[in-house]
Amino acid sequence: MNQLHKSKTVSVHLKNVSELRQAFMPFILQGGLFIVTVEDYDLGDSVELNLQLLHQSEVYHIDGKVVWITPSHAQD
């Protein structure tokens, strides 16, 4: 049974190259970003990512999907 999942919006501003490198997940097909949130997600959830990079004023709107979850009690 397919269920429609309403996508959640996540906004993130990666302020420097170090933050971008830490967030980038090159082993994800077509690339991925690990974004720390306080909201709970399930694998497969749709997300709308509003991404601002470094010192750019432009915000990129990206449709994505949750493919990795780290439990909140896990260490860095």
Side-chain angles (χ1 to χ4, degrees), residues 63-74:
D63 292 325
K65 178 172 64 168
V66 176
V67 298
W68 185 283
I69 296 174
T70 300
S72 60
H73 61 275

Side-chain angles (χ1 to χ4, degrees), residues 30-43:
Q30 299 179 355
L33 292 174
F34 183 83
I35 306 298
V36 177
T37 68
V38 294
E39 185 144 0
D40 290 331
Y41 291 88
D42 293 316
L43 289 176

Side-chain angles (χ1 to χ4, degrees), residues 14-34:
L14 298 175
K15 297 176 186 83
N16 56 54
V17 173
S18 178
E19 285 184 0
L20 179 57
R21 284 187 181 137
Q22 286 181 321
F24 184 59
M25 301 178 79
F27 52 88
I28 303 294
L29 185 62
Q30 299 179 355
L33 292 174
F34 183 83

